[in-house]
Amino acid sequence: MSQKTVIVQELRAARQGHIRWVRYASALISGMEVLKDHVPVVGTDCRFGRWYYGAGAALSGLESYRNIEQPHLDLHDMYMEIFKLLFDDDNQASPGFFGRLLGRSSTQKNARTEKARARFADLEAVSQVILKHLEQLESDVLALSDAEIERLFYTAEA
């Protein structure tokens, strides 16, 4: 199997991992229980991030590779905001007896869930940008000769 084939397979696996990650984030907002490991908060912890900062870093000489980093980090920052909106009880003052009686706790939770949904729409838009950049990166890799790929990986290892 050629180095180019391996890279394209890794890119496609990373793309699928990214799509799966966004689905898990969506499920979280919908109120479904999701294992913490399924939605990593830090951009270096997801499958795509491990590839990007690991083996994929050999492609850092390509503009299409570099175009991915900031949107990817932004995506994880957005997810962190969503997670805090949904689960960070430290941001909510205890409503007390009368607040609970009047339903303020429920109202606050609903408002936070709506903010999380709105932020998720932003996350989905950034996700589409990432997928577009990944598509471009795959095209760029496929356009490289075997010698160019060897040079990228040889330079990255040196």
Side-chain angles (χ1 to χ4, degrees), residues 4-147:
K4 185 186 294 191
T5 302
V6 169
I7 294 167
V8 169
Q9 286 177 344
E10 288 174 348
L11 271 172
R12 289 178 181 170
R15 181 180 322 142
Q16 290 306 314
H18 170 78
I19 291 168
R20 198 169 24 260
W21 183 90
V22 172
R23 284 188 193 137
Y24 285 131
S26 176
L28 192 68
I29 290 172
S30 299
M32 297 175 71
E33 285 193 34
V34 176
L35 296 174
K36 181 184 172 197
D37 293 346
H38 284 146
V39 190
V41 174
V42 181
T44 55
D45 290 348
C46 68
R47 179 182 175 135
F48 174 76
R50 288 190 308 267
W51 173 83
Y52 187 86
Y53 294 107
L59 301 173
S60 64
L62 300 174
E63 182 180 0
S64 53
Y65 173 90
R66 293 187 307 272
N67 287 339
I68 295 170
E69 184 172 27
Q70 193 57 56
H72 180 243
L73 295 174
D74 292 345
L75 181 100
H76 281 275
D77 289 345
M78 288 176 193
Y79 173 76
M80 176 59 88
E81 291 174 36
I82 291 167
F83 187 86
K84 285 181 178 181
L85 283 166
L86 294 174
F87 300 108
D88 191 359
D89 291 334
D90 293 338
N91 289 335
Q92 295 184 31
S94 176
F97 173 74
F98 288 109
R100 285 191 302 273
L101 184 66
L102 297 172
R104 286 190 190 139
S105 177
S106 176
T107 302
Q108 287 176 341
K109 183 177 180 181
N110 289 341
R112 292 165 65 87
T113 300
E114 285 308 310
K115 283 182 185 176
R117 283 192 178 112
R119 199 61 176 136
F120 183 72
D122 297 336
L123 184 145
E124 286 183 305
V126 171
S127 172
Q128 290 305 309
V129 168
I130 291 168
L131 292 172
K132 187 174 168 183
H133 287 315
L134 282 169
E135 193 174 302
Q136 182 61 53
L137 180 57
E138 183 177 328
S139 294
D140 290 351
V141 167
L142 288 170
L144 294 172
S145 69
D146 289 338

